[in-house]
Amino acid sequence: MPEGHTLRKLANDLTSAFAGSAVRTSSPQGRFAADAESIDGALVVGADSVGKHLFVEMSGERFVHVHLGLYGKLAIHTGVEEVPAPVGAVRLRLVTADAPPGGTAYADLRGATQCELVGPARRDEIVARLGPDPLRADADPARAWARISRSTRATGDLLMDQEVLAGVGNVYRAEVLFRHRIHPLRPGRTLRRGQFQGMWDDLVVLMADGVRSGRIDTVRPEHTAEATGRARPDRRRGEVYVYRRTGQPCLLCGTAVRTDVLVGRNLFWCPRCQPAFRSRAIGSAQAERGNT
DNA sequence: GTAGCATGGTAAG
DNA sequence: TTACCCTGCTACG
C-alpha cells in the first residue's frame, strides 16, 4: 500500500537493518545493473522518505532514489542465515556484506516505477518539487494552504497533487475528506482555513498511525465494527469509512457510498455526510477568510 | 485458470 | 489520453 506511510516505514526499517553496514548490491533483473555495480560494497548511511519518494543514502553522497508507483514492493528481511535466490523481477537487491551480530539482512525491490542513482543536487530537485509531507516534522502546511486557498480545482484533486501535499494517496484522500465532511469536488478556494487545518492535523495523526501499524485505519473508535457490532468482511485490511465501499451503507448514516472518477482516479464519498457544496455559500466562505 | 483492476507517476503521442 | 512498470489480489468461470 504505497502511500506516504509505507515509504516512511520502509525508510525506518532500511535504516535499522542497513545503516552503518557495507552492502553488496545487485540487479538480478538487470535494469539497474550498471548503477548497482557502481555502489557495490558501499556503506549505507541511512534511508529517508519525502512523500512517496524513498532515498537510500550510500557513502560518497550517492542516493538510490526509489518510487514504488502503484504496485512496487520493497521487501526487507533481517536475521537470515542464508540469502535465497531472487524470485521474480528483482530490480535491486541489497545484502549486508559482512554478517552483523543480528545475522544477514537483505532487501529486494520489485515493480518500482523508479529506481535510479542520483547525487545530492538531483535529490534536492526532487524534494523541492514536493509539497509539505504530514509525516515530516519540518513540514509547513501553510505552503499547501497557499495553493489550495487560491485554487478553483477540486479539493479531492488538490489533496492528491504531490506538489501541493506530499504523501497523501487515494485512501487517505477519501478518508480525510469523509472525516471532515467535505465533498471531494468542492473547490479548494471555498474551504475555510480551519477546515484545511483540521484535515492537515488529522493527516499528521492518521499517517503516523499508518507508519506504526503498516496499514490504513481511519475509523474512529466509536464507529468501528467492534464498537457497533457490525460484521467486518476482511479484518486483514485496515478499517475505512468510504474507500472502495461503493454501494455499501455509510458507517454513520447508512446512505450508499458513491464513487466517481476524478483526474483518472477513483473518488469515494457519502453524499449525505459530505453534501455537495452550494455555490451560494462561496461568497460567505470567502468573506469569512477575508478574501476578495 | 485467468482477466481485470489497484494505494502512482512519468513520458510518449 | 494512453502506455508503461510487470505485483498481487479479487472476481469470475
Side-chain angles (χ1 to χ4, degrees):
Chain A
M1 307 172 187
E3 298 196 19
H5 69 300
T6 303
L7 281 300
R8 169 51 55 85
K9 185 169 169 57
L10 286 172
N12 293 346
D13 293 350
L14 282 171
T15 299
S16 303
F18 294 101
S21 300
V23 286
R24 303 305 310 267
T25 56
S26 58
S27 179
Q29 173 216 38
R31 287 192 48 195
F32 191 64
D35 284 332
E37 194 174 338
S38 76
I39 52 171
D40 189 29
L43 211 64
V44 175
V45 177
D48 196 11
S49 72
V50 186
K52 298 166 188 166
H53 296 257
L54 175 69
F55 297 94
V56 185
E57 184 177 359
M58 314 298 291
S59 49
E61 290 203 289
R62 292 166 295 179
F63 300 83
V64 180
H65 169 224
V66 172
H67 196 294
L68 292 179
L70 189 55
Y71 50 76
K73 295 272 186 299
L74 178 58
I76 302 169
H77 309 265
T78 56
V80 301
E81 301 219 342
E82 199 163 333
V83 179
V87 176
V90 176
R91 180 89 57 89
L92 168 64
R93 169 171 272 189
L94 300 176
V95 186
T96 49
D98 20 58
T104 297
Y106 74 97
D108 283 343
L109 175 69
R110 296 183 184 81
T113 293
Q114 213 157 16
C115 175
E116 57 173 358
L117 192 60
V118 301
R122 175 71 184 135
R123 191 204 96 102
D124 291 347
E125 255 176 53
I126 294 163
V127 172
R129 284 206 317 264
L130 299 170
D133 175 349
L135 284 172
R136 296 188 65 92
D138 59 6
D140 177 14
R143 275 175 60 212
W145 174 242
R147 292 277 304 265
I148 292 169
S149 60
R150 280 183 289 131
S151 180
T152 57
R153 285 162 62 199
T155 304
D157 181 13
L158 290 160
L159 288 181
M160 266 187 56
D161 182 337
Q162 301 298 300
E163 294 184 15
V164 174
L165 260 177
V168 175
N170 209 8
V171 185
Y172 281 121
R173 161 173 81 170
E175 295 300 301
V176 80
L177 285 168
F178 177 87
R179 285 168 59 99
H180 295 266
R181 308 181 66 94
I182 293 167
H183 193 286
L185 298 183
R186 180 166 167 171
R189 59 187 282 194
T190 69
L191 287 182
R192 294 187 301 274
R193 185 175 184 119
Q195 291 177 304
F196 165 74
Q197 192 65 45
M199 287 196 287
W200 171 272
D201 293 344
D202 210 17
L203 285 168
V204 169
V205 174
L206 289 174
M207 292 176 76
D209 280 353
V211 175
R212 276 189 291 275
S213 68
R215 54 188 232 178
I216 301 179
D217 282 289
T218 59
V219 177
R220 297 186 177 97
E222 64 270 30
H223 303 140
T224 59
E226 196 185 11
T228 61
R230 247 183 308 112
R232 186 132 80 90
D234 187 355
R235 60 176 49 245
R236 290 166 305 177
R237 227 182 290 182
E239 218 175 344
V240 293
Y241 284 107
V242 291
Y243 177 72
R244 292 249 258 173
R245 293 195 62 245
T246 307
Q248 294 177 54
C250 171
L251 302 187
L252 265 62
C253 75
T255 304
V257 170
R258 287 191 55 180
T259 188
D260 203 350
V261 175
L262 175 68
V263 200
R265 305 302 304 278
N266 295 320
L267 284 176
F268 304 91
W269 77 99
C270 169
R272 184 160 167 194
C273 294
Q274 299 163 268
F277 187 69
R278 293 188 302 272
S279 58
R280 170 173 79 71
I282 293 177
S284 61
Q286 287 179 340
E288 202 170 324
R289 286 209 318 274
N291 283 8
T292 46

